[in-house]
Amino acid sequence: MLKKRVIPCLDVKNGRVVKGINFVDLADVGDPVESAKAYDAAGADELCFLDITASHENRGTLLDVVRRTAENCFMPVTVGGGVRDVEDVRALMLAGADKVSINTAAVRDRSIVGRAAEKFGAQAIVVAIDAKRVSRDGEAPRWEIFTHGGRNPTGIDAIAYAREVADLGAGEILLTSMDRDGTKAGFDLALTRAVSDAVTIPVVASGGVGTLDHLVEGVREGGASAVLAASIFHYGTFSIAEAKRHMARAGLPMRLDGLEAIR
Amino acid sequence: MRIALIDYGAGNLHSAAKALMRALDETGQRGEVIMGADPEVIASADRIVLPGDGAFRDCRENLAVVSGLEAALDHAVRSKGRPFLGICVGMQLLATRGLERGITQGLGWIPGDVVPLAPADPALKVPHMGWNTLAMTSSHPVLEGIALGPQGLHAYFLHSFHLIPEGTANLIATAEYGGPVSAIVGRDTVIGTQFHPEKSQVLGVKLLANFLKWAP
């Protein structure tokens, strides 16, 4: 049986982790490769690198991080942030990314999704959707795509967009609620469920995780195939093993290989 | 031991190379992983590994354009019986035909077609993406010592197509995803895994070590 995935996400800027992870045995908290290895050992199902480097000229450092991570981790890695064209996808894939996440570039020009999927296979192409609720209370819920960290509205309906990119060949959707991101109030479950029901590709729920029950809800209520979180893992609030054991106890199918001996 | 990891422009080879080196350590043997597509490298290799990511057609075309590569593979594997491992699309290429974006002829080493996944349960998402357990359909030395079945170890899958072999003789293991998904196929000295052993942690390293120890 296919298991639900738990995915820690690391923000990387100019080749360094921005919010360092709080693992006791980590020599260099800012080193993304050391962090990736720590999560690999901790039983993460995948890892996500989000590059927040402002300038495109510094992309080389990211490629180096991806390359060294692929060499040191026997765990799948998704890389996103700043992917502008199919050449960027190719460079990341050749460096060792298993999946590449496309965000703003696909909002600007949907065709990049189909072109990338044709070249690298749908399974390698993730479309990241940053959505914000725009309906008023009492109205039927409606979410719009926002870019630039939730500042710029696009007027594009999130559900329709998800359907569109899935039809174009995306293999997965990384769905972040900009209303919930950083709040620790839990995923936007209505949004997650609406997108998950609208597409036949896996959806990763992101944005708002504060408790282990939130992870369970993302799968059970939201219909997500995977749950992504950053701060609860980085700051050591919960370990990956605790998260997976909690989800398993709640009745979700989880991979617990080798977790018996881990906190 | 010389392990040839075929580089034909079908994706990144670093993880596979590293995982093979780690598996080699486990076997206690000395050896090296040689990345390339040079017919001489293949001719002198003790083990041959064919990775592959992306679309069947692209991988097939990439394989065909490397001069002398197919002939060298055919000779080393089918005439001389060198153990061979295909990974993901590298496994799918063993089939007679691939049906992704039109019909493409495969290597034809394992009779069968590569067809789209179609889980019986419409709620199951495609691609089949993530960690799944394996069920053995025929015993094989590469599975020795690996816990199988619903309570067993997990393998990492990332695919929308799979190889359906003709008959059941060449099917070694399946994964359950709205019906059986071909996870491992094999025939003579050829073995292929739909999942990524180089990404499959404990199960992956063990399977690779078994492949290196295998003496068919």
Side-chain angles (χ1 to χ4, degrees):
Chain A
M1 187 187 216
L2 187 70
K3 303 306 186 288
K4 303 302 175 187
R5 289 168 282 150
V6 172
I7 308 174
C9 181
L10 291 164
D11 286 354
V12 179
K13 188 175 185 182
N14 299 322
R16 301 284 291 170
V17 175
V18 176
K19 287 174 256 175
I21 73 177
N22 188 16
F23 284 8
V24 280
D25 47 355
L26 203 63
D28 178 358
V29 291
D31 181 356
V33 181
E34 287 299 311
S35 305
K37 281 161 77 173
Y39 277 127
D40 192 13
D45 293 312
E46 285 182 17
L47 183 74
C48 181
F49 276 132
L50 183 63
D51 183 40
I52 56 169
T53 305
S55 116
H56 209 69
E57 284 67 51
N58 280 343
R59 290 293 276 185
T61 54
L62 176 70
L63 294 177
D64 183 53
V65 164
V66 174
R67 196 172 298 118
R68 288 190 293 125
T69 303
E71 285 175 1
N72 287 290
C73 290
F74 302 120
M75 167 179 62
V77 178
T78 301
V79 186
V83 175
R84 299 197 298 201
D85 50 37
V86 173
E87 276 313 306
D88 289 337
V89 179
R90 181 195 310 279
L92 289 167
M93 296 292 292
L94 286 177
D98 297 282
K99 295 185 269 184
V100 171
S101 167
I102 307 172
N103 192 333
T104 313
V107 175
R108 288 205 190 109
D109 175 11
R110 311 278 197 281
S111 77
I112 185 178
V113 178
R115 285 182 282 124
E118 185 164 317
K119 202 67 214 160
F120 306 103
Q123 82 292 331
I125 306 304
V126 180
V127 172
I129 298 180
D130 293 342
K132 218 175 197 174
R133 193 185 281 255
V134 290
S135 51
R136 292 195 195 87
D137 287 344
E139 287 179 357
R142 217 174 67 75
W143 297 267
E144 247 178 48
I145 309 275
F146 278 68
T147 59
H148 299 86
R151 290 195 303 278
N152 296 4
T154 63
I156 300 167
D157 181 79
I159 313 299
Y161 178 78
R163 239 185 235 119
E164 199 179 341
V165 295
D167 287 344
L168 285 167
E172 184 169 62
I173 285 172
L174 169 53
L175 178 65
T176 304
S177 161
M178 301 312 289
D179 300 306
R180 296 299 178 90
D181 205 25
T183 65
K184 298 194 185 298
F187 297 118
D188 182 337
L189 296 172
L191 168 69
T192 310
R193 173 51 75 179
V195 172
S196 186
D197 284 349
V199 298
T200 59
I201 58 177
V203 173
V204 181
S206 158
V209 175
T211 72
L212 297 181
D213 281 332
H214 291 156
L215 301 174
V216 175
E217 290 164 3
V219 174
R220 191 176 281 155
E221 259 72 60
S225 298
V227 285
L228 181 142
S231 52
I232 62 158
F233 296 135
H234 301 338
Y235 299 134
T237 318
F238 302 105
S239 70
I240 299 283
E242 283 169 336
K244 292 172 72 168
R245 282 195 286 258
H246 184 83
M247 294 170 78
R249 274 196 300 272
L252 298 175
M254 305 303 299
R255 177 182 71 108
L256 302 174
D257 297 356
L259 290 191
E260 302 83 5
I262 303 179
R263 181 190 82 93
Chain B
M1 170 174 281
R2 289 165 66 86
I3 305 162
L5 180 60
I6 312 294
D7 184 2
Y8 61 112
N12 169 275
L13 302 181
H14 298 298
S15 335
K18 283 279 177 175
L20 284 164
M21 286 307 291
R22 186 151 123 186
L24 196 59
D25 280 349
E26 285 222 348
T27 67
Q29 297 180 72
R30 299 167 66 94
E32 54 180 339
V33 177
I34 306 151
M35 291 185 254
D38 187 343
E40 278 168 28
V41 168
I42 292 163
S44 65
D46 303 300
R47 294 288 183 280
I48 298 166
V49 180
L50 183 70
D53 287 317
F56 187 97
R57 177 179 291 252
D58 280 350
C59 287
R60 185 71 186 89
E61 284 167 359
N62 285 348
L63 196 67
V65 296
V66 182
S67 169
L69 176 56
E70 280 191 52
L73 284 175
D74 198 78
H75 184 70
V77 180
R78 304 228 289 172
S79 304
K80 289 166 67 187
R82 289 279 178 275
F84 172 98
L85 170 68
I87 298 173
C88 197
V89 181
M91 170 260 215
Q92 296 180 356
L93 289 173
L94 299 170
T96 317
R97 304 186 303 169
L99 306 183
E100 182 175 0
R101 294 198 285 129
I103 295 172
T104 310
Q105 296 299 312
L107 291 169
W109 295 359
I110 292 186
D113 284 344
V114 177
V115 303
L117 286 173
D121 177 354
L124 293 176
K125 308 282 191 163
V126 175
H128 176 219
M129 190 183 277
W131 297 86
N132 208 332
T133 48
L134 304 177
M136 187 165 75
T137 49
S138 326
S139 66
H140 194 286
V142 299
L143 288 175
E144 202 182 305
I146 294 176
L148 301 168
Q151 305 306 319
L153 292 172
H154 292 79
Y156 189 80
F157 289 84
L158 187 56
H159 65 123
S160 308
F161 288 77
H162 69 148
L163 197 173
I164 304 281
E166 276 174 26
T168 53
N170 298 328
L171 190 59
I172 310 293
T174 58
E176 170 57 36
Y177 196 60
V181 169
S182 299
I184 307 179
V185 295
R187 181 186 182 189
D188 303 327
T189 65
V190 172
I191 194 94
T193 64
Q194 176 60 65
F195 57 87
H196 289 268
E198 78 281 16
K199 300 281 173 185
S200 295
Q201 297 185 341
V202 183
L203 180 149
V205 173
K206 180 79 184 153
L207 183 138
L208 292 174
N210 284 343
F211 169 69
L212 299 179
K213 284 189 285 190
W214 183 30

